[in-house]
């Protein structure tokens, strides 16, 4: 393996440490990632890059004194940002050609904190149009493609992040997660994805869907890099010891979360639970069917009522006029347009329906989670992140689940959506390849505000699971 391939395999923590100690030039690392990004261009991961700016920023680091140890945890690490997160001077399109001229003058809050921690900007990544889809198939800019099978989706909406990470063209990628947009693509592409407790990370500068549900999150190839980013953004610990699994109580919510899971995913997930049991974890049956029912009843009511006022506020932040009808008319993705069409006229959510969902249904869901965690003394809930593996590109509206046609949107976010609605932290871990040869993920959902403990548990579980699979495309690149 040549040096470029070796560099692209580094974790973010490894790369930052080597650059901070003077063992690796930032320019060499940036160049290796740029070359890999160029080689994987057909996978549709990136929408925008400024290679000259990245090289210049890396050269400035190489010419400057090395940082005081511990002060810049992401020193020299080029990060990818989903293209609904503001990076000053670069376009933020939210996956819509209608937004191609939008270049924010200021960073999103999460962007600023990461740059303050020493990170550089690798580029902006592809996403489902307006983040309103689960496949990552963008009809305006082209689809992001799964590293394990280029004819299949990455999952969405943070699909470009997953393609870039899975193909070793970035060590870290920052996305957003409303109902699963970090965790679903992580699961479908063999990666780790962390959604923090809502409002733990800054919200400003994210193109919104629902302020009640939205959060930025991180995708990586290992949990340790998620810890590193949470430290930089939210002030969590720089290092976390993995939680030993002996005696750890993991809730297994059979009703809803383990129902209607496609056989290849169900079989793999059951095998992984047995590994956790063997490692000492206590698997505790629990009932969270009420949370699933409340999610299905109330989530879309909240998000569909909140999106237009939230977008208007985002546009006002940037002194841009906002025309909801023009935005809707410009939507090019056939699975996204109907969602926006529902926002007008007789199908619009009434204030009364919204108030009921926000002030009655959501608190009931949060109470159901609190009661479940307390009653069973649980460290986390565990279940398949997504009930199925990656569909073929073009299957945006309907997929086959357990032998039956079903809504693609509903299928992919069925298990991730409840934590989003409740505002809870969650991690998706790669659990290997299902019998159909495609990756699947295992989700851990924690109680509100337990982000650090959940990451520590994820480290412990990561160590008990087989190593994450490497996409065949990466092996081909390494041999060239």
């Amino acid at each position: 393996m040549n040096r470029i391939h070796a560099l692209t395999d580094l974790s973010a923590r490894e790369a930052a440490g080597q650059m901070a100690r003077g063992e690796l030039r930032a320019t060499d690392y940036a160049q290796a990632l740029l070359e890999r990004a160029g080689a994987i261009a057909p996978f549709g991961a990136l929408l925008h890059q400024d290679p000259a700016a990245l090289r210049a920023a890396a050269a400035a680091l190489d010419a400057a004194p090395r940082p005081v140890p511990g002060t810049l945890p992401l020193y020299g690490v080029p990060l990818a940002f989903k293209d609904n997160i503001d990076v000053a001077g670069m376009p933020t399109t939210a996956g819509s050609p209608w937004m191609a001229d939008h270049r924010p003058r200021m960073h999103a809050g999460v962007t600023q904190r990461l740059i303050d921690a020493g990170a550089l900007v690798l580029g902006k990544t592809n996403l489902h149009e307006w983040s309103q889809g689960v496949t990552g198939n963008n009809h305006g800019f082209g689809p992001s493609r799964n590293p394990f099978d280029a004819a299949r989706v990455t999952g969405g909406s943070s699909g470009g992040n997953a393609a870039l990470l899975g193909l070793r063209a970035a060590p870290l990628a920052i996305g957003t997660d409303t109902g699963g947009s970090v965790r679903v693509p992580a699961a479908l592409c063999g990666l780790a994805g962390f959604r923090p407790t809502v409002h733990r990370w800054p919200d400003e500068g994210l193109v919104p869907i629902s302020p009640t549900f939205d959060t930025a999150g991180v995708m990586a190839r290992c949990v340790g890099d998620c810890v590193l980013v949470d430290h930089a953004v939210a002030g969590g610990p720089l290092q976390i010891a993995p939680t030993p699994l002996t005696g750890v109580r993991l809730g297994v919510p059979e009703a809803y979360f383990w129902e209607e899971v496609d056989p290849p995913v169900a079989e793999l997930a059951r095998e992984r639970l047995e590994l956790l049991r063997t490692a000492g974890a206590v698997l505790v049956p629990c009932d969270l069917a009420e949370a699933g029912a409340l999610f299905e009843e109330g989530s879309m009511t909240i998000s569909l009522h909140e999106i237009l006022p939230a977008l208007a506020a985002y546009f006002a932040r940037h002194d841009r006029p906002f025309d909801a009808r023009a935005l809707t008319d410009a939507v090019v993705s056939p699975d996204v347009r109907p969602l926006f069409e529902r926002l007008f006229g007789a199908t619009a959510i009434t204030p009364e329906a919204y108030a009921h969902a926000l002030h009655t249904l959501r608190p009931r869901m949060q109470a159901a989670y609190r009661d479940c965690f307390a009653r069973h003394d649980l460290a986390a809930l565990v279940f398949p992140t997504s009930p199925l593996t990656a569909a073929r590109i073009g299957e945006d509206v309907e997929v086959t689940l357990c032998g039956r046609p079903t809504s693609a949107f509903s299928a992919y976010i069925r298990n991730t959506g409840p934590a989003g609605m409740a505002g809870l932290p969650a991690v998706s871990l790669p659990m290997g390849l299902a019998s159909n040869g495609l990756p699947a993920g295992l989700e851990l959902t924690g109680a509100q505000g337990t982000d650090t403990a959940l990451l520590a548990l994820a480290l412990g579980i990561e160590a008990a699971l087989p190593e994450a699979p490497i996409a065949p495309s990466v092996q081909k690149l390494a041999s060239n």
Side-chain angles (χ1 to χ4, degrees):
M1 182 179 292
N2 64 35
R3 179 167 170 76
I4 287 177
H5 293 138
L7 292 182
T8 59
D9 287 333
L10 292 173
S11 71
R13 194 182 289 269
E14 290 169 339
Q18 290 185 23
M19 288 184 283
R21 294 189 298 270
E23 299 166 4
L24 171 63
R25 285 164 44 90
T27 47
D28 291 339
Y29 187 50
Q31 184 61 29
L33 293 174
L34 286 170
E35 291 187 20
R36 175 58 63 86
I40 60 111
F43 282 81
L46 282 162
L47 293 184
H48 317 288
Q49 269 196 304
D50 188 341
L54 175 57
R55 291 188 184 102
L61 288 186
D62 287 335
R66 291 200 295 273
V68 175
T71 59
L72 295 173
L74 288 166
Y75 182 77
V77 177
L79 303 188
F81 291 84
K82 183 180 180 181
D83 200 26
N84 67 340
I85 300 172
D86 289 344
V87 175
M90 297 191 81
T92 297
T93 68
S96 169
W98 188 66
M99 291 278 282
D101 67 336
H102 176 43
R103 286 181 176 263
R105 297 186 301 274
M106 50 190 163
H107 291 314
V110 66
T111 307
Q112 187 65 60
R113 291 191 187 184
L114 291 165
I115 289 174
D116 289 345
L120 308 180
V121 177
L122 178 65
K124 304 292 291 295
T125 57
N126 201 356
L127 67 157
H128 212 106
E129 190 173 9
W130 292 107
S131 301
Q132 289 281 358
V134 294
T135 66
N137 184 12
N138 186 301
H139 287 256
F141 298 122
S144 49
R145 297 179 180 275
N146 195 299
F148 288 82
D149 183 344
R152 293 184 180 272
V153 302
T154 52
S157 59
S158 308
N161 283 355
L164 202 67
L165 283 167
L167 292 164
R168 303 297 201 268
L172 281 172
I174 308 303
T176 58
D177 189 305
T178 301
S181 288
V182 158
R183 291 163 288 155
V184 171
L188 269 53
C189 295
L191 303 164
F194 169 55
R195 172 202 163 88
T197 295
V198 71
H199 306 315
R200 174 179 172 88
W201 289 18
D203 297 322
E204 69 273 12
L206 311 178
V207 181
I209 295 176
S210 163
T212 300
F213 302 162
D214 292 344
T215 181
V218 58
M219 300 167 68
R221 296 195 300 268
C222 62
V223 177
D225 280 353
C226 296
V227 172
L228 185 66
V229 170
D230 187 66
H231 164 73
V233 175
L238 178 59
Q239 298 272 7
I240 300 176
T243 297
L245 297 189
T246 302
V248 168
R249 295 173 64 82
L250 300 176
V252 183
E254 295 283 355
Y256 185 84
F257 292 91
W258 284 85
E259 294 174 348
E260 291 191 87
V261 177
D262 221 36
V265 176
E267 179 183 7
L268 182 63
R270 295 291 180 188
E271 291 174 0
R272 297 309 182 235
L273 284 192
E274 287 308 308
L275 288 180
L276 301 184
R277 191 196 306 272
T278 300
V282 179
L283 303 180
V284 183
C286 58
D287 185 358
L288 263 174
E290 181 185 9
L294 290 166
F295 165 70
E296 292 184 348
E297 183 180 358
S299 63
M300 291 301 290
T301 299
I302 294 173
S303 64
L304 289 176
H305 190 79
E306 289 186 345
I307 186 169
L308 292 183
L311 283 171
Y314 173 85
F315 276 57
R317 168 183 166 91
H318 296 286
D319 298 320
R320 288 178 64 94
F322 179 64
D323 185 333
R325 190 71 250 185
L327 182 158
T328 300
D329 291 342
V331 172
V332 297
S333 300
D335 60 320
V336 175
R337 180 182 282 271
L339 290 172
F340 279 96
E341 293 287 0
R342 288 178 59 185
L343 305 178
F344 303 96
T347 57
I349 304 299
T350 66
E352 294 77 14
Y354 170 68
H356 176 68
L358 183 66
H359 299 302
T360 300
L361 302 182
R362 185 169 184 259
R364 280 174 53 193
M365 170 190 269
Q366 293 172 315
Y369 273 106
R370 285 195 300 270
D371 179 68
C372 183
F373 278 102
R375 180 159 26 97
H376 298 289
D377 189 24
L378 301 177
L381 300 161
V382 60
F383 48 84
T385 307
S386 169
L388 69 166
T389 55
R392 293 193 177 277
I393 291 173
E395 296 177 352
D396 296 325
V397 176
E398 189 175 87
V399 293
T400 300
L401 176 62
C402 297
R404 297 182 299 276
T406 190
S407 159
F409 187 87
S410 297
Y412 278 116
I413 69 163
R414 193 191 73 204
N415 280 3
T416 56
M421 181 172 169
L424 303 179
V427 177
S428 181
L429 296 173
M431 60 177 180
L433 300 181
S435 59
N436 61 7
L438 296 170
L442 193 69
E443 173 156 332
L444 307 173
T445 299
Q448 184 174 2
T450 61
D451 300 64
T452 297
L454 183 67
L455 287 167
L457 176 60
L459 287 167
I461 290 178
E462 179 183 54
L465 297 177
E467 286 191 13
I470 298 175
S473 302
V474 173
Q475 297 165 3
K476 290 178 183 177
L477 287 166
S479 65
N480 289 339

